[in-house]
Amino acid sequence: MQIILGVIFHFIGGFASGSFYIPYKKVKGWAWESFWIVGGIFSWLVVPPLAAWLTIPNFTEIIRATNGQILLLTYFFGLLWGIGGLTYGLGVRYLGVSLGSTIILGLCAVFGSLIPSVYYNLFPQAGKDTFTMLLHNQWGQLVLLGITLTVIGIIICGKAGTMKEKELAAGKADVEDNKDYKFALGITVAIISGVLSACFNFGIEAGKTMSDTANAIWAAAHPGQGNFLFRNNVVYIVILWGGLTTNFIWCMILNARNKTFANYTDKKTPLLKNYLFSALAGTTWFLQFFFYGMGESRLGNGASSWILHMAFIILVANVWGLVLNEWKGVSKKAYATVIAGIVVIILSVVVVGMGNNIKEKVANKVQTIK
């Protein structure tokens, strides 16, 4: 049952992340940097402490009591992740919602799921999955197979992207629905974003003492009820301070360079709608990690939890890409290729789920013996 709940929470989080960029498409007359930072203020500054306030009593005390080095390291990973998040927006702009999200999040899934397990191989911690455990256990081998399938799915979708670019250049696809499409620039940005976006998972690991404290306080008040669903909400605050720093500086630079500061008060644009849609996008974005925290509390913060979350985001983003006609007018071959990539990624989710199921059965069997 815990596995099922974990998968459901990850799906909801994946749906939120895969959908968050859609409200931005309703913003009219603003430059990218303007609506991105307005949404970001809600994503990284307004909503996270509100979520923590609603779910974790005295969360500010937990932050104050945390070692300064831990806070600094968590913030640092947030800075790096912030670059990944910043370039994510650009990657989606130049590649489209489906292809951009697939490549960026696929890379993020691979790096974010494997690097922590390698780290715990070198510095073991109780309750954490090491890379050796993944290699030498049936459930771990299935998780690694799922990660491999995710990579294959990314490659297939990438192939579809190159086919689409060629058809755009040849005038065979609908240019109006793909006016910002730039594959070479987009793929470069996507690779940078995919690698650095994985730093969010590293930030969760770095700030683990805060989530452990929140979990311990909750467990003391609710004995025998498992892990605290919202324990990571306090960690998100510190990580997202780093993300806000990076994005705010860059967006202000772009506002100055492009002379777009006037966007925020330009009455020639639908100001209220622009602010509301940007706020909706930012809030929806945060919900991905709100539900990720709930999912990982049921599955464990290991490779399988991160890969499931990212795979669901990729699936939802690709569905939106189809709905928004990002593949309108392409050949049947290119369309079939992107569908094949989506199917492979769905298969990767199923395989990782099987691995988790076996892991849970083994854990329950050991608990029964004890």
Side-chain angles (χ1 to χ4, degrees), residues 84-106:
L86 179 66
T87 48
Y88 178 92
L90 292 173
V92 169
R93 176 183 178 183
Y94 294 133
L95 294 177
V97 173
S98 61
L99 182 60
S101 296
T102 297
I103 295 174
I104 293 169
L105 296 171

Side-chain angles (χ1 to χ4, degrees), residues 157-313:
C157 288
K159 174 63 177 177
T162 59
M163 294 167 68
K164 175 182 175 181
E165 182 185 39
K166 290 178 181 178
E167 291 174 13
L168 282 171
K172 296 179 180 179
D174 194 319
V175 177
E176 179 59 31
D177 285 316
N178 298 277
K179 56 186 178 182
D180 289 328
Y181 189 84
K182 299 176 183 177
F183 185 76
L185 178 59
I187 196 68
T188 301
V189 171
I191 291 172
I192 295 171
S193 178
V195 174
L196 292 181
S197 292
C199 289
F200 198 99
N201 198 29
F202 307 157
I204 293 175
E205 295 295 325
K208 185 176 179 295
T209 57
M210 287 182 279
S211 63
D212 285 346
T213 301
N215 191 55
I217 294 171
W218 183 88
H222 305 82
Q225 295 188 31
N227 289 319
F228 183 30
L229 274 176
F230 307 110
R231 62 186 182 181
N232 278 342
N233 285 353
V234 65
V235 185
Y236 295 155
I237 293 174
V238 181
I239 298 174
L240 295 175
W241 284 340
L244 175 62
T245 303
T246 306
N247 281 264
F248 184 80
I249 292 173
W250 180 241
C251 286
M252 292 303 100
I253 291 173
L254 288 181
N255 276 147
R257 180 187 299 171
N258 300 329
K259 299 180 180 180
T260 51
F261 278 114
N263 285 166
Y264 304 115
T265 56
D266 187 357
K267 294 182 179 180
K268 294 179 181 179
T269 64
L271 283 177
L272 179 59
K273 287 185 177 180
N274 284 358
Y275 277 108
L276 287 175
F277 279 121
S278 296
L280 176 61
T283 302
T284 303
W285 180 93
F286 175 76
L287 289 177
Q288 68 166 308
F289 286 114
F290 183 84
F291 284 100
Y292 172 81
M294 296 171 69
E296 75 89 19
S297 72
R298 292 296 177 257
L299 295 180
N301 190 22
S304 56
S305 196
W306 186 253
I307 196 75
L308 275 176
H309 183 70
M310 291 298 140
F312 278 133
I313 298 174

Side-chain angles (χ1 to χ4, degrees), residues 125-146:
Q125 288 187 25
K128 292 297 182 180
D129 299 336
T130 66
F131 191 71
T132 299
M133 291 169 62
L134 296 178
L135 284 175
H136 294 95
N137 290 280
Q138 184 184 5
W139 63 264
Q141 291 166 0
L142 283 172
V143 169
L144 290 174
L145 176 59

Side-chain angles (χ1 to χ4, degrees), residues 51-122:
W53 178 72
L54 291 171
T55 56
I56 305 175
N58 302 316
F59 72 93
T60 56
E61 296 301 320
I62 295 175
I63 295 176
R64 288 195 191 101
T66 302
N67 181 282
Q69 290 184 334
I70 291 175
L71 291 176
L72 183 60
L73 184 60
T74 306
Y75 175 79
F76 173 70
F77 280 126
L79 283 174
L80 294 179
W81 165 81
I83 299 173
L86 179 66
T87 48
Y88 178 92
L90 292 173
V92 169
R93 176 183 178 183
Y94 294 133
L95 294 177
V97 173
S98 61
L99 182 60
S101 296
T102 297
I103 295 174
I104 293 169
L105 296 171
L107 290 170
C108 182
V110 173
F111 281 94
S113 59
L114 289 183
I115 291 180
S117 64
V118 173
Y119 173 84
Y120 288 121
N121 224 94
L122 301 173

